[in-house]
Amino acid sequence: MVKRLLFLLLLSFILGDAASAAEINGVTNGAEQQLFPGVKSTVLAEPLKALVYLTLLSILPSLLVATTSFLRIIIVLSMLRHAIGMQDTPPNVALIGIGLFLTLFSMQPVFTQAINNAWQPFTHQKIDIDTAFDEAQKPFREFMLHNIKERDLQLMYEVSNEEPPEMIEDVSLLKVIPAFMLSELKTAFQIGFMIFLPFLLVDIIVASLLSSLGMMMVPPVTISLPLKVLMFILIDGWNLVVKSLMASFAL
């Protein structure tokens, strides 16, 4: 809500500047659609688009983590890297890149709906900013509600001392987003735990063999690490992880 109010405040500031410029230059045309009293729509088109672009760029990282599948994907990939035992391989840049493209792939229907129903009509000045915001949040809201655990949503109302609404459509977006993030964290840790188990088994077997052979001074990781990498390659681990991640989302 705060970001939306700031967005509207900046929008009114730009509209006011455009209005002053139009009055100074004597630009008036009653036949064209008016977005602000005394200002042509063509005068506001470029400043308005620039404002929207800059605002989206500033809040995009937060929105990406809070309202999409990126959080679950990047946590699972990070836990996979730690389970194998390589702290810096793949590097963070590679993991973030994979996470971004997997997010775009899994969220494609949501992004398409938001662009068709909100962004394109707004840039063509067919709807106002309030309508565009409402239309843009609908597909993301539906995606989040499909992936929220009921107890996490209930928790948000408990900590805010509010009664949950009877209809799911009446749930506030300020309750949906944190509940969705909690659900994503739980699901990501559940998937990560299942990934850790086979690698942990390899570590235990290697440590037991070294102890039975009397090789107490040999670090188990020097033997278990290449074995875990070999096992991961033989079972085609990356395909299995990505397939499991994509199947875990309810669209």
Side-chain angles (χ1 to χ4, degrees):
M1 183 61 67
V2 175
K3 291 180 179 179
R4 186 181 177 189
L5 291 175
L6 292 175
F7 184 84
L8 293 175
L9 182 61
L10 289 174
L11 178 62
S12 63
F13 177 77
I14 283 188
L15 293 179
D17 288 346
S20 300
E23 291 175 359
I24 293 175
N25 295 328
V27 180
T28 54
N29 189 349
E32 297 188 8
Q33 182 182 4
Q34 301 293 318
L35 296 179
F36 193 84
V39 184
K40 293 198 307 180
S41 59
T42 54
V43 176
L44 297 180
E46 294 305 323
L48 187 60
K49 289 180 180 179
L51 171 65
V52 173
Y53 290 147
L54 292 175
T55 304
L56 288 178
L57 286 176
S58 64
I59 65 175
L60 185 60
S62 299
L63 293 177
L64 180 67
V65 174
T67 63
T68 69
S69 58
F70 180 78
L71 182 61
R72 183 189 305 186
I73 293 172
I74 197 64
I75 289 177
V76 171
L77 294 179
S78 299
M79 294 184 71
L80 171 62
R81 182 174 65 178
H82 286 284
I84 296 175
M86 297 182 294
Q87 305 300 323
D88 298 320
T89 305
N92 291 331
V93 175
L95 288 185
I96 293 175
I98 295 173
L100 286 174
F101 279 99
L102 290 179
T103 301
L104 292 175
F105 179 78
S106 61
M107 298 287 296
Q108 183 178 1
V110 177
F111 290 148
T112 301
Q113 186 176 351
I115 291 174
N116 292 338
N117 296 341
W119 179 251
Q120 291 184 353
F122 177 70
T123 55
H124 289 84
Q125 302 176 5
K126 295 181 180 179
I127 58 176
D128 57 15
I129 186 173
D130 288 330
T131 305
F133 179 82
D134 293 337
E135 291 296 328
Q137 74 170 347
K138 286 180 180 179
F140 290 93
R141 178 190 179 90
E142 183 179 356
F143 170 78
M144 288 186 288
L145 289 174
H146 285 169
N147 291 275
I148 283 180
K149 293 179 174 60
E150 185 177 353
R151 58 181 177 274
D152 293 328
L153 190 58
Q154 182 69 29
L155 175 63
M156 292 298 104
Y157 281 95
E158 290 179 0
V159 297
S160 61
N161 296 322
E162 298 180 10
E163 289 293 330
E166 297 181 358
M167 303 295 295
I168 193 65
E169 292 80 7
D170 298 330
V171 177
S172 171
L173 191 62
L174 294 179
K175 304 292 192 306
V176 173
I177 293 178
F180 170 74
M181 296 183 70
L182 285 177
S183 298
E184 289 295 283
L185 288 173
K186 292 179 179 179
T187 304
F189 273 71
Q190 290 171 358
I191 298 175
F193 174 76
M194 299 303 296
I195 292 175
F196 258 99
L197 287 179
F199 296 107
L200 179 61
L201 181 61
V202 173
D203 287 332
I204 293 175
I205 293 175
V206 170
S208 300
L209 289 176
L210 291 177
S211 298
S212 62
L213 294 174
M215 304 173 62
M216 309 296 293
M217 302 302 294
V218 178
V221 68
T222 58
I223 298 177
S224 63
L225 180 57
L227 290 178
K228 288 188 289 186
V229 173
L230 178 62
M231 179 188 71
F232 193 69
I233 294 173
L234 292 177
I235 65 174
D236 201 3
W238 287 110
N239 284 353
L240 291 176
V241 171
V242 171
K243 184 178 179 180
S244 300
L245 273 174
M246 295 298 100
S248 66
F249 293 105
L251 299 178

